[in-house]
Amino acid sequence: NTLERGATLLRPVQRKDLFSWNGTCVTLLRGNNMDLFDEIVGFESHGIALRKFRSKKTGLSVVLAEVESPLVQGYFTIATEAHDHDGCPHTLEHLIFCGSEQYPYKGVLDRLANRNFSEGTNAWTATDHTAYTLKTAGAEGFLTVLPVFIDHILYPVLTQETFVTEVHHVAANGENAGVVYCEMQAVETQPNTIVNRKSDELLWPEESGYRSETGGRLSNLRSLTNQKIIDYHKAYYRPDKVVVIVLGKVALNDLLEAFRPIEANIVSKGALPPSPRPWSDPCNITPLKASTTEKVQYPNADESVGMMTLSWRGPMYDNFLEGAALHAIWEYLSDGPVSPLQAALVEVSDPFCTEIYASQDTYAQIARRVKFEDVPVAKLPSLRDTFFTIIREIVSSSSIDMARMGTVLHRKKMQFLEQLETSPHDSVAAYVIVDFLYGSKPSDLPDAVAVPEFYDRLAKMDLAFWIDIVKRYILDAVCVCVEATPSAELAQSLEATEAARVGEQRGTLGEKRLQELGAIVETATQKNNIEGPAEIFTAKPVPDATKIHFINIDTVRNDDIVSDLSPKSLQLRDHVTAGHPSRLPFFLQFDQFHSAFVELSCVMDTSSLPDHLRLYLEIFLEVILKSPIDGDKGKLSYEDVVAGLERDTVEFHNGCGLDGGHNFTCGSFSQYIYISLKLERERYEVGVEWMRRLLWETVMTKRRVKVATRKLINDIPKHKTNGFSMAKTALKELNYDRSRSNHAATSLIRQAQFLKNVLAKLGVDIKKEDEDQQGEHLHAEGEECQHEEQGEEEEEEEEEEDVDDDEDDDDMSEDVQEVLSHLNELRVHVTTVSTLHFQVAGDII
């Protein structure tokens, strides 16, 4: 009778199931495994059923999300809190994989995972949690590895030998080493690390764990002991501080049954003493008293550009509506070339920075941060005031474009739904992890994932609401500013200081002790590399691949390569060729699968690109989606183009190489460049029209090319601080044809001088500008403050320069004409119809 009254079952009814009926809904009280767990909450959100359980005896939490995917992914998450910089959370992230009570051998997890249709395991350490991940094809292999993984997490061996190799040791040559130590050594002096560390120190009170370096600082790691790690594990790696999140096609009974032996093992260890919930102490979020600005330096031989961050505290975690509002308003303010901040600070002839990134740390209290990258050092002192001048003007004049705000809200909603399709495991797990850490009631998780509903509510808010959000959380809120400048002197000093420290360490230890330490490391390595017996891996058979739930994709292409078409593919072929010639002048492939979205991509071959045009690829890719359009349907300014793409697409991007090439780097198949538009299914035809106009009606202008070129130049110093990136760049220089290869043509080694040459042809004296900026920077360092009136005058002058720059598109020198001619020639070459490859992926029929 209860089922006839409209209840929705999330799984088939089974024998021994016991339900209750409260007049509104059915609740499963006890199934075959419900003697182990209490169900905390169960609900469906946007086609994904979620159920959250807590163990009756151990407090272990389990969440199952039924995701339509052949992959099953688990996130084994521990709430970890640290109030120092010793790095215990990070060290455990590594040590967990070195063996457990039942499986005391390093590498068991990865070998067992590989046998069960997984590429291996992974993990990360965040400020407030540590997560371990397992991804398998199908549920059978996942359930096999599950108990082994949890044994490693709750009962790792944590021997002195694993500490020596994985965390820290002094090698026979007197240098400090260890996997964790070397990992942190690679990032401790990076600009982002230095800036984020200072920002956290200023944003959170001294007693807060949110300001701790959970990865570990080098000086702390050198004095860290294995016993402290063991004590930390005992305090935090408890079942009542663990949530196991499973996403995929897994039967609930099978999942809970897999926990029966795990629960029995935990109970056999005896009861644990009460322990407070991590992050529950209000001292972590004591309110800030006043805004502050601090300057820091980071080592870099290139002293031309720095960075700045501004940070604020926001609403509490469970204020979901205002949390969503902050996501939206920051996207409105900073995302895209037509946003107020980018229009004023980036997309100008003399930019303040090359990129503006707004981000959020979702803690008990939300923290918002906006980062300005590649800021010319002369502009750093005035950037904070310029930012607040822009925000103050928006508030005082109520100049929020409500039409664009509506576009932002709709786009944010669509992006959330698109992420549920393309990355459902990661997307859902992120919300579940934060709820586990900070949720206080069962309804918090359903509310947290109701993101589209919050954006629908926000779409009904008026201008006054948004002005109030900007005023309360940005303009009038306590703000922390960190201004970071590069220093060649600091780079040399740090290198000399480290060399002196290692030299002193060698002298203190002496040759005999160093030999002993080397022997300890060798012995530890040998012991850690002992392989486990074969029966560990063969105790259970390899999973049955026929049980994997694959996604059906039907493909049709116009080159007749695909034969023996399925009935669905035949239907697709008839649909897409109806009313069209049987032979199109370009390659076309349709991939049909269930989706609310369609992705339209155009791939362009640069193999035969003339040598004199190849160096222009970086500039071309930077301007092709941010330039005016002029064609048979009229003209569009570059602002109209960007605004239109934001309005009509869920996302749009381009690059060199097919898997994510970015500035000065090519992806795989580097001879290809591409443009990709993702749209709601209903806007597919709009996307086709946008693609047509972008490919054949884009107009190269002096102004847009100058902005793009300067932006690329300012982006170069950041890449030089990444040793791995520079090593790859050098290898490409040595291995690829410098005139014919995109790898060589787009490398920053070659682009650095080429871009300066292009800017000189566009009428900009780079050398003089560098000298002027250096002089301005030195002058600014001698002054304690900047007057607001002066800042306003400079802003007016900049606006005048931009207007002049826009106007002299009509008055171009031969050099300017040469640059624009080469870019147009490049566009014509790569958009030759017969060489184009188009792909349409999604729900087309």
PDB file of all heavy atoms in Angstrom, residues 771-803:
ATOM      1  N   GLU A 771      62.402  50.566 -18.676  1.00  0.00           N
ATOM      2  CA  GLU A 771      63.198  51.525 -17.902  1.00  0.00           C
ATOM      3  C   GLU A 771      62.288  52.465 -17.108  1.00  0.00           C
ATOM      4  O   GLU A 771      62.541  52.751 -15.944  1.00  0.00           O
ATOM      5  CB  GLU A 771      64.094  52.318 -18.844  1.00  0.00           C
ATOM      6  CG  GLU A 771      65.192  51.480 -19.486  1.00  0.00           C
ATOM      7  CD  GLU A 771      65.957  52.252 -20.553  1.00  0.00           C
ATOM      8  OE1 GLU A 771      65.523  53.379 -20.887  1.00  0.00           O
ATOM      9  OE2 GLU A 771      66.969  51.717 -21.057  1.00  0.00           O
ATOM     10  N   ASP A 772      61.206  52.933 -17.753  1.00  0.00           N
ATOM     11  CA  ASP A 772      60.274  53.831 -17.071  1.00  0.00           C
ATOM     12  C   ASP A 772      59.603  53.134 -15.891  1.00  0.00           C
ATOM     13  O   ASP A 772      59.470  53.706 -14.807  1.00  0.00           O
ATOM     14  CB  ASP A 772      59.210  54.337 -18.050  1.00  0.00           C
ATOM     15  CG  ASP A 772      59.787  55.280 -19.088  1.00  0.00           C
ATOM     16  OD1 ASP A 772      60.916  55.765 -18.875  1.00  0.00           O
ATOM     17  OD2 ASP A 772      59.100  55.513 -20.109  1.00  0.00           O
ATOM     18  N   GLN A 773      59.184  51.881 -16.101  1.00  0.00           N
ATOM     19  CA  GLN A 773      58.507  51.150 -15.031  1.00  0.00           C
ATOM     20  C   GLN A 773      59.446  50.885 -13.869  1.00  0.00           C
ATOM     21  O   GLN A 773      59.060  50.960 -12.707  1.00  0.00           O
ATOM     22  CB  GLN A 773      57.939  49.836 -15.562  1.00  0.00           C
ATOM     23  CG  GLN A 773      56.724  50.016 -16.451  1.00  0.00           C
ATOM     24  CD  GLN A 773      56.048  48.702 -16.779  1.00  0.00           C
ATOM     25  OE1 GLN A 773      56.489  47.636 -16.353  1.00  0.00           O
ATOM     26  NE2 GLN A 773      54.974  48.777 -17.535  1.00  0.00           N
ATOM     27  N   GLN A 774      60.715  50.576 -14.181  1.00  0.00           N
ATOM     28  CA  GLN A 774      61.670  50.344 -13.110  1.00  0.00           C
ATOM     29  C   GLN A 774      61.871  51.619 -12.305  1.00  0.00           C
ATOM     30  O   GLN A 774      61.943  51.593 -11.080  1.00  0.00           O
ATOM     31  CB  GLN A 774      63.013  49.863 -13.686  1.00  0.00           C
ATOM     32  CG  GLN A 774      64.048  49.489 -12.635  1.00  0.00           C
ATOM     33  CD  GLN A 774      63.603  48.320 -11.772  1.00  0.00           C
ATOM     34  OE1 GLN A 774      62.841  47.473 -12.224  1.00  0.00           O
ATOM     35  NE2 GLN A 774      64.045  48.299 -10.530  1.00  0.00           N
ATOM     36  N   GLY A 775      61.954  52.763 -13.010  1.00  0.00           N
ATOM     37  CA  GLY A 775      62.091  54.033 -12.307  1.00  0.00           C
ATOM     38  C   GLY A 775      60.885  54.344 -11.449  1.00  0.00           C
ATOM     39  O   GLY A 775      61.008  54.793 -10.311  1.00  0.00           O
ATOM     40  N   GLU A 776      59.689  54.072 -11.995  1.00  0.00           N
ATOM     41  CA  GLU A 776      58.465  54.293 -11.215  1.00  0.00           C
ATOM     42  C   GLU A 776      58.420  53.401  -9.993  1.00  0.00           C
ATOM     43  O   GLU A 776      57.981  53.811  -8.923  1.00  0.00           O
ATOM     44  CB  GLU A 776      57.240  54.023 -12.105  1.00  0.00           C
ATOM     45  CG  GLU A 776      57.049  55.045 -13.206  1.00  0.00           C
ATOM     46  CD  GLU A 776      55.921  54.641 -14.138  1.00  0.00           C
ATOM     47  OE1 GLU A 776      55.118  53.772 -13.718  1.00  0.00           O
ATOM     48  OE2 GLU A 776      55.845  55.171 -15.254  1.00  0.00           O
ATOM     49  N   HIS A 777      58.902  52.164 -10.136  1.00  0.00           N
ATOM     50  CA  HIS A 777      58.895  51.232  -9.011  1.00  0.00           C
ATOM     51  C   HIS A 777      59.820  51.710  -7.902  1.00  0.00           C
ATOM     52  O   HIS A 777      59.464  51.698  -6.726  1.00  0.00           O
ATOM     53  CB  HIS A 777      59.322  49.851  -9.491  1.00  0.00           C
ATOM     54  CG  HIS A 777      59.392  48.821  -8.398  1.00  0.00           C
ATOM     55  ND1 HIS A 777      58.320  48.544  -7.590  1.00  0.00           N
ATOM     56  CD2 HIS A 777      60.415  48.031  -7.979  1.00  0.00           C
ATOM     57  CE1 HIS A 777      58.655  47.609  -6.713  1.00  0.00           C
ATOM     58  NE2 HIS A 777      59.926  47.292  -6.937  1.00  0.00           N
ATOM     59  N   LEU A 778      61.009  52.157  -8.282  1.00  0.00           N
ATOM     60  CA  LEU A 778      61.949  52.655  -7.283  1.00  0.00           C
ATOM     61  C   LEU A 778      61.396  53.892  -6.592  1.00  0.00           C
ATOM     62  O   LEU A 778      61.548  54.080  -5.382  1.00  0.00           O
ATOM     63  CB  LEU A 778      63.294  52.974  -7.943  1.00  0.00           C
ATOM     64  CG  LEU A 778      64.055  51.749  -8.495  1.00  0.00           C
ATOM     65  CD1 LEU A 778      65.287  52.210  -9.269  1.00  0.00           C
ATOM     66  CD2 LEU A 778      64.463  50.826  -7.348  1.00  0.00           C
ATOM     67  N   HIS A 779      60.708  54.738  -7.368  1.00  0.00           N
ATOM     68  CA  HIS A 779      60.106  55.933  -6.792  1.00  0.00           C
ATOM     69  C   HIS A 779      58.982  55.565  -5.819  1.00  0.00           C
ATOM     70  O   HIS A 779      58.863  56.129  -4.734  1.00  0.00           O
ATOM     71  CB  HIS A 779      59.559  56.819  -7.908  1.00  0.00           C
ATOM     72  CG  HIS A 779      58.849  58.050  -7.408  1.00  0.00           C
ATOM     73  ND1 HIS A 779      59.510  59.089  -6.794  1.00  0.00           N
ATOM     74  CD2 HIS A 779      57.526  58.387  -7.421  1.00  0.00           C
ATOM     75  CE1 HIS A 779      58.632  60.028  -6.452  1.00  0.00           C
ATOM     76  NE2 HIS A 779      57.419  59.624  -6.833  1.00  0.00           N
ATOM     77  N   ALA A 780      58.186  54.558  -6.201  1.00  0.00           N
ATOM     78  CA  ALA A 780      57.071  54.131  -5.349  1.00  0.00           C
ATOM     79  C   ALA A 780      57.561  53.539  -4.048  1.00  0.00           C
ATOM     80  O   ALA A 780      56.934  53.700  -2.996  1.00  0.00           O
ATOM     81  CB  ALA A 780      56.207  53.113  -6.088  1.00  0.00           C
ATOM     82  N   GLU A 781      58.714  52.845  -4.082  1.00  0.00           N
ATOM     83  CA  GLU A 781      59.239  52.240  -2.865  1.00  0.00           C
ATOM     84  C   GLU A 781      59.632  53.295  -1.846  1.00  0.00           C
ATOM     85  O   GLU A 781      59.659  53.040  -0.648  1.00  0.00           O
ATOM     86  CB  GLU A 781      60.452  51.357  -3.202  1.00  0.00           C
ATOM     87  CG  GLU A 781      60.075  50.063  -3.884  1.00  0.00           C
ATOM     88  CD  GLU A 781      61.282  49.213  -4.172  1.00  0.00           C
ATOM     89  OE1 GLU A 781      62.403  49.770  -4.189  1.00  0.00           O
ATOM     90  OE2 GLU A 781      61.121  48.004  -4.384  1.00  0.00           O
ATOM     91  N   GLY A 782      59.948  54.504  -2.335  1.00  0.00           N
ATOM     92  CA  GLY A 782      60.335  55.562  -1.407  1.00  0.00           C
ATOM     93  C   GLY A 782      59.168  56.327  -0.843  1.00  0.00           C
ATOM     94  O   GLY A 782      59.353  57.224  -0.012  1.00  0.00           O
ATOM     95  N   GLU A 783      57.965  56.024  -1.299  1.00  0.00           N
ATOM     96  CA  GLU A 783      56.774  56.706  -0.788  1.00  0.00           C
ATOM     97  C   GLU A 783      55.941  55.751   0.038  1.00  0.00           C
ATOM     98  O   GLU A 783      55.837  54.575  -0.274  1.00  0.00           O
ATOM     99  CB  GLU A 783      55.934  57.223  -1.962  1.00  0.00           C
ATOM    100  CG  GLU A 783      56.670  58.273  -2.789  1.00  0.00           C
ATOM    101  CD  GLU A 783      55.799  58.795  -3.914  1.00  0.00           C
ATOM    102  OE1 GLU A 783      54.708  58.213  -4.126  1.00  0.00           O
ATOM    103  OE2 GLU A 783      56.184  59.772  -4.545  1.00  0.00           O
ATOM    104  N   GLU A 784      55.347  56.233   1.079  1.00  0.00           N
ATOM    105  CA  GLU A 784      54.560  55.397   1.977  1.00  0.00           C
ATOM    106  C   GLU A 784      53.125  55.236   1.517  1.00  0.00           C
ATOM    107  O   GLU A 784      52.437  54.307   1.898  1.00  0.00           O
ATOM    108  CB  GLU A 784      54.570  55.979   3.400  1.00  0.00           C
ATOM    109  CG  GLU A 784      55.898  55.836   4.110  1.00  0.00           C
ATOM    110  CD  GLU A 784      56.264  54.386   4.333  1.00  0.00           C
ATOM    111  OE1 GLU A 784      55.368  53.595   4.650  1.00  0.00           O
ATOM    112  OE2 GLU A 784      57.446  54.042   4.175  1.00  0.00           O
ATOM    113  N   CYS A 785      52.625  56.169   0.739  1.00  0.00           N
ATOM    114  CA  CYS A 785      51.211  56.078   0.355  1.00  0.00           C
ATOM    115  C   CYS A 785      51.003  56.621  -1.042  1.00  0.00           C
ATOM    116  O   CYS A 785      51.843  57.332  -1.592  1.00  0.00           O
ATOM    117  CB  CYS A 785      50.318  56.825   1.358  1.00  0.00           C
ATOM    118  SG  CYS A 785      50.632  58.593   1.414  1.00  0.00           S
ATOM    119  N   GLN A 786      49.870  56.308  -1.591  1.00  0.00           N
ATOM    120  CA  GLN A 786      49.448  56.818  -2.891  1.00  0.00           C
ATOM    121  C   GLN A 786      48.154  57.604  -2.689  1.00  0.00           C
ATOM    122  O   GLN A 786      47.237  57.144  -2.028  1.00  0.00           O
ATOM    123  CB  GLN A 786      49.182  55.646  -3.852  1.00  0.00           C
ATOM    124  CG  GLN A 786      50.409  54.808  -4.159  1.00  0.00           C
ATOM    125  CD  GLN A 786      51.278  55.463  -5.205  1.00  0.00           C
ATOM    126  OE1 GLN A 786      50.765  56.218  -6.031  1.00  0.00           O
ATOM    127  NE2 GLN A 786      52.559  55.197  -5.158  1.00  0.00           N
ATOM    128  N   HIS A 787      48.114  58.810  -3.240  1.00  0.00           N
ATOM    129  CA  HIS A 787      46.898  59.615  -3.077  1.00  0.00           C
ATOM    130  C   HIS A 787      45.834  59.160  -4.053  1.00  0.00           C
ATOM    131  O   HIS A 787      46.123  58.853  -5.205  1.00  0.00           O
ATOM    132  CB  HIS A 787      47.215  61.094  -3.313  1.00  0.00           C
ATOM    133  CG  HIS A 787      48.148  61.664  -2.295  1.00  0.00           C
ATOM    134  ND1 HIS A 787      47.819  61.806  -0.983  1.00  0.00           N
ATOM    135  CD2 HIS A 787      49.441  62.096  -2.410  1.00  0.00           C
ATOM    136  CE1 HIS A 787      48.841  62.333  -0.320  1.00  0.00           C
ATOM    137  NE2 HIS A 787      49.837  62.500  -1.165  1.00  0.00           N
ATOM    138  N   GLU A 788      44.593  59.129  -3.589  1.00  0.00           N
ATOM    139  CA  GLU A 788      43.503  58.665  -4.428  1.00  0.00           C
ATOM    140  C   GLU A 788      43.344  59.546  -5.658  1.00  0.00           C
ATOM    141  O   GLU A 788      43.067  59.077  -6.750  1.00  0.00           O
ATOM    142  CB  GLU A 788      42.201  58.655  -3.620  1.00  0.00           C
ATOM    143  CG  GLU A 788      41.057  58.015  -4.369  1.00  0.00           C
ATOM    144  CD  GLU A 788      39.844  57.843  -3.484  1.00  0.00           C
ATOM    145  OE1 GLU A 788      39.991  57.324  -2.369  1.00  0.00           O
ATOM    146  OE2 GLU A 788      38.753  58.240  -3.923  1.00  0.00           O
ATOM    147  N   GLU A 789      43.565  60.878  -5.487  1.00  0.00           N
ATOM    148  CA  GLU A 789      43.420  61.778  -6.623  1.00  0.00           C
ATOM    149  C   GLU A 789      44.410  61.435  -7.718  1.00  0.00           C
ATOM    150  O   GLU A 789      44.087  61.444  -8.896  1.00  0.00           O
ATOM    151  CB  GLU A 789      43.622  63.234  -6.179  1.00  0.00           C
ATOM    152  CG  GLU A 789      42.530  63.758  -5.246  1.00  0.00           C
ATOM    153  CD  GLU A 789      42.771  63.322  -3.802  1.00  0.00           C
ATOM    154  OE1 GLU A 789      43.809  62.700  -3.536  1.00  0.00           O
ATOM    155  OE2 GLU A 789      41.917  63.608  -2.953  1.00  0.00           O
ATOM    156  N   GLN A 790      45.647  61.093  -7.295  1.00  0.00           N
ATOM    157  CA  GLN A 790      46.668  60.734  -8.265  1.00  0.00           C
ATOM    158  C   GLN A 790      46.276  59.481  -9.016  1.00  0.00           C
ATOM    159  O   GLN A 790      46.430  59.386 -10.223  1.00  0.00           O
ATOM    160  CB  GLN A 790      48.005  60.527  -7.552  1.00  0.00           C
ATOM    161  CG  GLN A 790      49.134  60.162  -8.505  1.00  0.00           C
ATOM    162  CD  GLN A 790      50.436  59.919  -7.763  1.00  0.00           C
ATOM    163  OE1 GLN A 790      50.581  60.293  -6.606  1.00  0.00           O
ATOM    164  NE2 GLN A 790      51.371  59.278  -8.445  1.00  0.00           N
ATOM    165  N   GLY A 791      45.713  58.509  -8.272  1.00  0.00           N
ATOM    166  CA  GLY A 791      45.288  57.266  -8.900  1.00  0.00           C
ATOM    167  C   GLY A 791      44.204  57.519  -9.924  1.00  0.00           C
ATOM    168  O   GLY A 791      44.183  56.923 -10.994  1.00  0.00           O
ATOM    169  N   GLU A 792      43.269  58.455  -9.572  1.00  0.00           N
ATOM    170  CA  GLU A 792      42.195  58.750 -10.507  1.00  0.00           C
ATOM    171  C   GLU A 792      42.731  59.417 -11.765  1.00  0.00           C
ATOM    172  O   GLU A 792      42.285  59.134 -12.880  1.00  0.00           O
ATOM    173  CB  GLU A 792      41.160  59.646  -9.830  1.00  0.00           C
ATOM    174  CG  GLU A 792      40.377  58.913  -8.734  1.00  0.00           C
ATOM    175  CD  GLU A 792      39.465  59.852  -7.975  1.00  0.00           C
ATOM    176  OE1 GLU A 792      39.544  61.068  -8.211  1.00  0.00           O
ATOM    177  OE2 GLU A 792      38.662  59.361  -7.150  1.00  0.00           O
ATOM    178  N   GLU A 793      43.754  60.333 -11.587  1.00  0.00           N
ATOM    179  CA  GLU A 793      44.338  60.985 -12.747  1.00  0.00           C
ATOM    180  C   GLU A 793      45.002  59.958 -13.669  1.00  0.00           C
ATOM    181  O   GLU A 793      44.853  60.007 -14.888  1.00  0.00           O
ATOM    182  CB  GLU A 793      45.370  62.022 -12.298  1.00  0.00           C
ATOM    183  CG  GLU A 793      44.743  63.245 -11.622  1.00  0.00           C
ATOM    184  CD  GLU A 793      45.806  64.156 -11.043  1.00  0.00           C
ATOM    185  OE1 GLU A 793      47.010  63.865 -11.245  1.00  0.00           O
ATOM    186  OE2 GLU A 793      45.458  65.157 -10.397  1.00  0.00           O
ATOM    187  N   GLU A 794      45.737  59.005 -13.038  1.00  0.00           N
ATOM    188  CA  GLU A 794      46.406  57.983 -13.844  1.00  0.00           C
ATOM    189  C   GLU A 794      45.397  57.129 -14.593  1.00  0.00           C
ATOM    190  O   GLU A 794      45.609  56.755 -15.738  1.00  0.00           O
ATOM    191  CB  GLU A 794      47.273  57.093 -12.944  1.00  0.00           C
ATOM    192  CG  GLU A 794      48.474  57.835 -12.372  1.00  0.00           C
ATOM    193  CD  GLU A 794      49.250  56.991 -11.389  1.00  0.00           C
ATOM    194  OE1 GLU A 794      48.767  55.889 -11.062  1.00  0.00           O
ATOM    195  OE2 GLU A 794      50.323  57.416 -10.939  1.00  0.00           O
ATOM    196  N   GLU A 795      44.260  56.851 -13.923  1.00  0.00           N
ATOM    197  CA  GLU A 795      43.233  56.038 -14.568  1.00  0.00           C
ATOM    198  C   GLU A 795      42.647  56.769 -15.759  1.00  0.00           C
ATOM    199  O   GLU A 795      42.407  56.198 -16.816  1.00  0.00           O
ATOM    200  CB  GLU A 795      42.143  55.703 -13.552  1.00  0.00           C
ATOM    201  CG  GLU A 795      41.104  54.745 -14.083  1.00  0.00           C
ATOM    202  CD  GLU A 795      40.103  54.363 -13.017  1.00  0.00           C
ATOM    203  OE1 GLU A 795      40.378  54.585 -11.828  1.00  0.00           O
ATOM    204  OE2 GLU A 795      39.035  53.861 -13.387  1.00  0.00           O
ATOM    205  N   GLU A 796      42.431  58.111 -15.594  1.00  0.00           N
ATOM    206  CA  GLU A 796      41.888  58.879 -16.703  1.00  0.00           C
ATOM    207  C   GLU A 796      42.858  58.905 -17.872  1.00  0.00           C
ATOM    208  O   GLU A 796      42.474  58.779 -19.034  1.00  0.00           O
ATOM    209  CB  GLU A 796      41.579  60.311 -16.230  1.00  0.00           C
ATOM    210  CG  GLU A 796      40.390  60.379 -15.267  1.00  0.00           C
ATOM    211  CD  GLU A 796      40.234  61.764 -14.676  1.00  0.00           C
ATOM    212  OE1 GLU A 796      41.031  62.653 -15.053  1.00  0.00           O
ATOM    213  OE2 GLU A 796      39.329  61.965 -13.847  1.00  0.00           O
ATOM    214  N   GLU A 797      44.186  59.059 -17.545  1.00  0.00           N
ATOM    215  CA  GLU A 797      45.176  59.058 -18.607  1.00  0.00           C
ATOM    216  C   GLU A 797      45.177  57.734 -19.352  1.00  0.00           C
ATOM    217  O   GLU A 797      45.281  57.686 -20.567  1.00  0.00           O
ATOM    218  CB  GLU A 797      46.565  59.327 -18.013  1.00  0.00           C
ATOM    219  CG  GLU A 797      46.741  60.755 -17.507  1.00  0.00           C
ATOM    220  CD  GLU A 797      48.088  60.927 -16.814  1.00  0.00           C
ATOM    221  OE1 GLU A 797      48.891  59.977 -16.839  1.00  0.00           O
ATOM    222  OE2 GLU A 797      48.332  62.010 -16.255  1.00  0.00           O
ATOM    223  N   GLU A 798      45.031  56.634 -18.582  1.00  0.00           N
ATOM    224  CA  GLU A 798      45.027  55.309 -19.203  1.00  0.00           C
ATOM    225  C   GLU A 798      43.844  55.162 -20.131  1.00  0.00           C
ATOM    226  O   GLU A 798      43.947  54.628 -21.224  1.00  0.00           O
ATOM    227  CB  GLU A 798      45.008  54.237 -18.119  1.00  0.00           C
ATOM    228  CG  GLU A 798      45.080  52.844 -18.674  1.00  0.00           C
ATOM    229  CD  GLU A 798      45.045  51.803 -17.575  1.00  0.00           C
ATOM    230  OE1 GLU A 798      45.717  51.996 -16.562  1.00  0.00           O
ATOM    231  OE2 GLU A 798      44.322  50.807 -17.759  1.00  0.00           O
ATOM    232  N   GLU A 799      42.671  55.656 -19.678  1.00  0.00           N
ATOM    233  CA  GLU A 799      41.489  55.568 -20.519  1.00  0.00           C
ATOM    234  C   GLU A 799      41.689  56.345 -21.813  1.00  0.00           C
ATOM    235  O   GLU A 799      41.308  55.916 -22.887  1.00  0.00           O
ATOM    236  CB  GLU A 799      40.264  56.087 -19.760  1.00  0.00           C
ATOM    237  CG  GLU A 799      39.823  55.149 -18.628  1.00  0.00           C
ATOM    238  CD  GLU A 799      38.705  55.758 -17.820  1.00  0.00           C
ATOM    239  OE1 GLU A 799      38.339  56.918 -18.092  1.00  0.00           O
ATOM    240  OE2 GLU A 799      38.192  55.079 -16.912  1.00  0.00           O
ATOM    241  N   GLU A 800      42.342  57.549 -21.687  1.00  0.00           N
ATOM    242  CA  GLU A 800      42.600  58.333 -22.879  1.00  0.00           C
ATOM    243  C   GLU A 800      43.510  57.577 -23.841  1.00  0.00           C
ATOM    244  O   GLU A 800      43.309  57.563 -25.049  1.00  0.00           O
ATOM    245  CB  GLU A 800      43.216  59.673 -22.491  1.00  0.00           C
ATOM    246  CG  GLU A 800      42.239  60.604 -21.774  1.00  0.00           C
ATOM    247  CD  GLU A 800      42.940  61.860 -21.275  1.00  0.00           C
ATOM    248  OE1 GLU A 800      44.150  62.006 -21.569  1.00  0.00           O
ATOM    249  OE2 GLU A 800      42.305  62.675 -20.594  1.00  0.00           O
ATOM    250  N   GLU A 801      44.548  56.903 -23.253  1.00  0.00           N
ATOM    251  CA  GLU A 801      45.449  56.131 -24.091  1.00  0.00           C
ATOM    252  C   GLU A 801      44.701  55.033 -24.818  1.00  0.00           C
ATOM    253  O   GLU A 801      44.932  54.771 -25.995  1.00  0.00           O
ATOM    254  CB  GLU A 801      46.565  55.533 -23.234  1.00  0.00           C
ATOM    255  CG  GLU A 801      47.546  56.580 -22.712  1.00  0.00           C
ATOM    256  CD  GLU A 801      48.591  55.962 -21.806  1.00  0.00           C
ATOM    257  OE1 GLU A 801      48.565  54.728 -21.646  1.00  0.00           O
ATOM    258  OE2 GLU A 801      49.410  56.694 -21.251  1.00  0.00           O
ATOM    259  N   ASP A 802      43.775  54.371 -24.128  1.00  0.00           N
ATOM    260  CA  ASP A 802      43.027  53.286 -24.743  1.00  0.00           C
ATOM    261  C   ASP A 802      42.180  53.802 -25.898  1.00  0.00           C
ATOM    262  O   ASP A 802      42.082  53.164 -26.943  1.00  0.00           O
ATOM    263  CB  ASP A 802      42.126  52.599 -23.703  1.00  0.00           C
ATOM    264  CG  ASP A 802      42.950  51.775 -22.718  1.00  0.00           C
ATOM    265  OD1 ASP A 802      44.082  51.434 -23.066  1.00  0.00           O
ATOM    266  OD2 ASP A 802      42.437  51.510 -21.617  1.00  0.00           O
ATOM    267  N   VAL A 803      41.558  54.981 -25.695  1.00  0.00           N
ATOM    268  CA  VAL A 803      40.735  55.550 -26.759  1.00  0.00           C
ATOM    269  C   VAL A 803      41.604  55.861 -27.968  1.00  0.00           C
ATOM    270  O   VAL A 803      41.278  55.543 -29.106  1.00  0.00           O
ATOM    271  CB  VAL A 803      40.007  56.815 -26.262  1.00  0.00           C
ATOM    272  CG1 VAL A 803      39.344  57.524 -27.422  1.00  0.00           C
ATOM    273  CG2 VAL A 803      38.972  56.440 -25.206  1.00  0.00           C
TER     274      VAL A 803
END
